[in-house]
Amino acid sequence: MTEDKTPLFNRARLLTWMAENGVAQTTHDHPAVFRVEEGLELKAALPGAHTKNLFLKDKKGRLWLISARQDTVIDLKRADRWIGSARLSFGNEALLWETLGVRPGSVTALGLINDPDRRVTFVLDKALWEADIVNFHPLTNTATTALTQPDFRRFLTLIGREPVVVNFARLRD
């Protein structure tokens, strides 16, 4: 997929696909949110664990998506040891669009549906893996989609993804 091509899924197609595949969700529209700090008031009214999502590239060219609770501290200088990567840096906008079909500010685990070649390794914070409800952008930062844990796991199974689960809270020194 190049910069001028449309991703496999956008918000509407993603939500339709979820409904057709028995993945229950609730989506709330809101003003655009580009950083975790900007949406705190919005998120306070929505139940469940809210997320931050980091699209990364390591020095060997491998791509990574880390999804963690919004309050989780992730030290990128040390995260490579935790997840088995080489030195990490943020992936660029063109690569983000090419692999996950989203723009900066809209990075989300739900974007993995646009990566059928599994170029991106998915790393999930254990706190999200154990949360009753998880909240992600539905491929756009103008909404938040809430999924129960069973529905989130069903989504991952349906797209053939198994996350690398890391307990980031235990890795802080």
Side-chain angles (χ1 to χ4, degrees), residues 12-168:
R13 186 157 180 234
L14 169 70
L15 297 179
T16 298
W17 179 91
M18 287 178 156
E20 290 171 348
N21 285 281
V23 178
Q25 54 77 29
T26 303
T27 297
H28 304 274
D29 292 307
H30 53 69
V33 176
F34 292 91
R35 294 187 335 263
V36 169
E37 302 81 28
E38 292 178 14
L40 295 178
E41 315 81 41
L42 296 168
K43 295 173 188 175
L46 304 175
H50 294 275
T51 60
K52 67 175 162 189
N53 299 275
L54 307 175
F55 178 69
L56 306 165
K57 183 177 181 179
D58 72 15
K59 72 177 185 177
K60 294 181 180 178
R62 289 184 62 198
L63 303 176
W64 303 84
L65 173 62
I66 297 178
S67 293
R69 284 183 66 100
Q70 69 181 3
D71 56 353
T72 300
V73 175
I74 299 173
D75 181 352
L76 290 183
K77 292 179 181 171
R78 296 173 48 214
D80 54 356
R81 293 192 318 247
W82 306 334
I83 65 175
S85 70
R87 187 180 67 240
L88 293 164
S89 61
F90 287 97
N92 67 42
E93 183 175 352
L95 196 54
L96 174 62
W97 180 254
E98 178 184 320
T99 56
L100 298 180
V102 296
R103 301 288 184 201
S106 297
V107 180
T108 172
L110 301 180
L112 292 167
I113 198 167
N114 283 323
D115 181 29
D117 297 330
R118 293 171 180 73
R119 291 176 57 196
V120 179
T121 300
F122 182 41
V123 178
L124 185 67
D125 183 2
K126 186 175 183 210
L128 290 182
W129 190 242
E130 295 175 345
D132 292 336
I133 297 172
V134 292
N135 292 282
F136 292 99
H137 288 311
L139 309 180
T140 178
N141 64 354
T142 59
T144 296
T145 296
L147 300 156
T148 64
Q149 191 59 235
D151 283 301
F152 179 53
R153 292 184 186 196
R154 177 166 173 72
F155 169 80
L156 292 175
T157 298
L158 287 167
I159 64 168
R161 300 306 285 260
E162 187 168 328
V164 175
V165 178
V166 175
N167 188 346
F168 286 102

